[in-house]
């Protein structure tokens, strides 16, 4: 999975949210699981 600048992700467990500032390959994880893409 790759992330792109400007995308938002959130954790379904703790509710943490992040905005991608520098895109790249890999995945965002929080609380031991992959973060979900947040649609505007």
């Amino acid at each position: 999975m790759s992330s792109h600048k400007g995308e938002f992700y959130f954790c379904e467990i703790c509710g943490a949210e992040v905005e991608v500032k520098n895109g790249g390959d890999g995945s965002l994880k929080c609380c031991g699981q992959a973060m979900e893409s947040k649609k505007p």
Side-chain angles (χ1 to χ4, degrees), residues 2-31:
S2 64
S3 55
H4 300 90
K5 184 177 179 179
E7 289 182 329
F8 289 88
Y9 289 84
F10 72 99
C11 176
E12 292 183 325
I13 295 175
C14 71
E17 296 183 356
V18 296
E19 177 184 2
V20 177
K21 295 291 186 179
N22 293 308
D25 291 333
S27 61
L28 297 168
K29 291 188 176 184
C30 186
C31 297

